[in-house]
């Protein structure tokens, strides 16, 4: 039996025992768990279905095609759009940085992509907006997108012309 | 909550009209994704309930809420930098904390560092970027979390 099932059963037993023995902290745990589970049951199905739709319709390779020549504002735009489609975080984003480097993208655009792949991923954003509200997401994006471009600029001029991302 | 359901229903109907096969694929993807995170989900939910119920909320929330926004945000940022949990678990957990009156400012510090700063993933990053660049990028992420927290705090009226 997997660990989480054992844990769930043990927890259920603990809550039942607490109810029988009028153990107040145990009762609180049970009540909290039920309240959390109710919230999750309301929000998880639409959120996962939205993320599923995203995965089914948006293919990363399509966006990647636009990343051929990276000059001017367009490069940043596509870097952020490409980052939005990343699945799996750093494990996918870092190898993609190498790909972008080989395609001749500038270090500013590559670092913009790397930072954006951490904070602008669409599936993640769907979860954020569902659970913390759209206002939270909009403010975070409005503040962090200029910042991540700024960080990419600062870092690439500090690292200098010779800096290259290396194959691990 | 209603917004999420309405949006999902609307996009699903559009998708269904355009391409039935792909819509079914989306549903299958959603299901397999859900099954993937379910174990972690249950574990986090049980431990959150246990710690909130047993250690008594007052003690646990003291650090996150009781000592002001600065201490709370630092605690959130440290937790977010060290923790390595997927966003499908982190945001529901954040919603629970929010429900327990943890301020948005603290939540923002937690979620932003969770995204931008990774102590656990640092060795991986170093392999590609080198030690210096990886360190600076993580520190920049920490600074970014600070700015985002302040902005979120102002937006939700928690900061003057």
């Amino acid at each position: 039996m997997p660990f989480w099932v054992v844990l769930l059963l043990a927890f259920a037993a603990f809550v039942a025992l607490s109810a029988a023995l009028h153990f107040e902290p145990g009762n609180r745990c049970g009540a909290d768990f039920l309240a959390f589970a109710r919230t999750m049951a309301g929000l998880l199905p639409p959120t996962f279905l939205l993320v599923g739709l995203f995965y089914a319709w948006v293919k990363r390779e399509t966006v990647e095609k636009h990343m051929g020549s990276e000059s001017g504002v367009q490069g940043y735009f596509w870097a952020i759009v490409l980052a939005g489609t990343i699945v799996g975080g750093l494990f996918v984003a870092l190898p993609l940085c190498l790909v972008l480097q080989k395609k001749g993208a500038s270090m500013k655009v590559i670092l913009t992509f790397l930072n954006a792949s951490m904070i602008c991923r669409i599936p993640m954003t769907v979860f954020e907006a569902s659970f913390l509200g759209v206002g939270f997401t909009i403010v975070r994006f409005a503040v962090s997108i200029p910042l991540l471009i700024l960080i990419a600029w600062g870092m690439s001029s500090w690292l200098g012309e010779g800096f290259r991302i290396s194959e691990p | 909550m209603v917004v999420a359901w309405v949006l999902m229903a609307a996009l699903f109907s559009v998708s269904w009209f355009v391409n039935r096969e792909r819509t079914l694929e989306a549903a299958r993807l959603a299901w397999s994704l859900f099954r993937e995170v379910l174990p972690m989900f249950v574990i986090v939910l049980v431990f959150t309930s246990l710690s909130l119920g047993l250690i008594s909320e007052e003690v646990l929330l003291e650090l996150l809420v009781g000592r002001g926004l600065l201490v709370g945000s630092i605690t959130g940022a440290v937790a977010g930098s060290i923790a390595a949990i997927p966003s499908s678990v982190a945001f529901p957990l954040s919603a629970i904390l929010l429900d327990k009156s943890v301020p948005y400012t603290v939540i923002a510090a937690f979620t932003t560092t969770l995204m931008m700063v990774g102590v656990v993933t640092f060795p991986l990053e170093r392999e590609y970027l080198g030690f210096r660049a990886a360190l600076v990028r993580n520190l920049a992420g920490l600074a970014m979390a600070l700015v985002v927290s302040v902005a979120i705090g102002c937006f939700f009226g928690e900061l003057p």
Side-chain angles (χ1 to χ4, degrees):
Chain A
M1 214 175 353
F3 173 69
W4 66 276
V5 178
V6 177
L7 187 72
L8 196 61
L9 290 177
F11 182 71
F14 166 71
V15 170
L17 204 65
S18 304
L21 299 175
H22 302 289
F23 179 55
E24 197 36 50
N27 288 339
R28 263 206 312 270
C29 293
D32 268 346
F33 185 83
L34 282 182
F36 299 156
R38 250 202 308 278
T39 315
M40 299 303 127
L43 271 172
L44 284 178
T47 311
F48 271 98
L49 284 169
L50 279 172
V51 171
L53 272 180
F54 173 81
Y55 284 160
W57 281 102
V58 181
K59 298 276 182 266
R60 197 187 72 212
E61 292 74 20
T62 324
V63 184
E64 225 175 297
K65 276 185 203 142
H66 291 277
M67 298 287 294
S69 64
E70 272 67 44
S71 49
V73 188
Q74 268 208 341
Y76 295 100
F77 175 75
W78 285 112
I80 292 172
V81 173
L82 177 67
T85 66
I86 292 294
V87 180
L90 271 178
F91 297 95
V92 177
L94 282 170
L96 263 178
C97 285
L98 269 177
V99 174
L100 292 179
Q101 182 171 262
K102 281 181 190 138
K103 284 188 171 190
S106 76
M107 193 49 64
K108 294 184 181 93
V109 168
I110 295 174
L111 289 174
T112 300
F113 162 76
L114 180 61
N115 282 331
S117 76
M118 295 175 192
I119 64 173
C120 301
R121 298 204 299 273
I122 307 262
M124 186 182 81
T125 308
V126 172
F127 274 98
E128 184 189 41
S130 299
F131 283 92
L132 297 179
V134 178
F136 188 95
T137 301
I138 290 174
V139 174
R140 186 178 66 79
F141 264 61
V143 175
S144 42
I145 288 183
L147 273 178
L148 71 88
I149 295 176
L150 200 72
I151 291 172
W153 264 77
M155 271 186 72
S156 59
S157 38
W158 173 69
L159 290 164
E161 286 292 317
F163 180 75
R164 283 282 170 275
I165 292 170
S166 48
E167 307 240 8
Chain B
M1 185 160 119
V2 182
V3 179
W5 280 98
V6 170
L7 189 67
M8 188 273 290
L11 288 178
F12 240 85
S13 336
V14 172
S15 172
W16 183 260
F17 273 114
V18 177
N19 189 334
R20 201 164 287 197
E21 201 42 56
R22 217 167 243 208
T23 311
L24 288 174
E25 189 197 331
R28 272 195 298 271
L29 279 168
W31 176 242
S32 67
L33 203 68
F34 175 71
R35 290 193 43 171
E36 233 170 79
V37 295
L38 183 66
M40 188 148 194
F41 215 83
V42 170
I43 292 167
V44 169
L45 219 59
V46 167
F47 279 117
T48 311
S49 312
L50 279 177
S51 44
L52 283 174
L54 290 184
I55 315 174
S56 100
E57 273 169 49
E58 296 83 58
V59 178
L60 197 82
L61 296 180
E62 167 76 10
L63 271 176
L64 287 174
V65 191
R67 303 204 178 160
L69 286 178
L70 186 66
V71 174
S73 301
I74 291 173
T75 312
V78 170
S81 304
I82 297 170
I85 46 176
S87 49
S88 45
V89 177
F91 286 113
L93 175 66
S94 301
I96 290 173
L97 293 176
L98 207 59
D99 239 25
K100 296 288 172 187
S101 75
V102 173
Y104 280 99
T105 315
V106 175
I107 301 281
F110 173 64
T111 58
T112 309
T113 49
L114 197 62
M115 299 171 198
M116 283 290 284
V117 187
V119 174
V120 182
T121 46
F122 187 81
L124 175 76
E125 228 181 307
R126 191 182 55 191
E127 299 226 336
Y128 285 86
L129 299 180
F131 180 80
R132 276 194 332 152
L135 183 68
V136 168
R137 204 209 55 73
N138 276 278
L139 290 177
L142 207 56
M144 185 175 196
L146 185 78
V147 179
V148 171
S149 290
V150 170
I152 291 280
C154 293
F155 179 77
F156 286 100
E158 293 165 357
L159 286 169

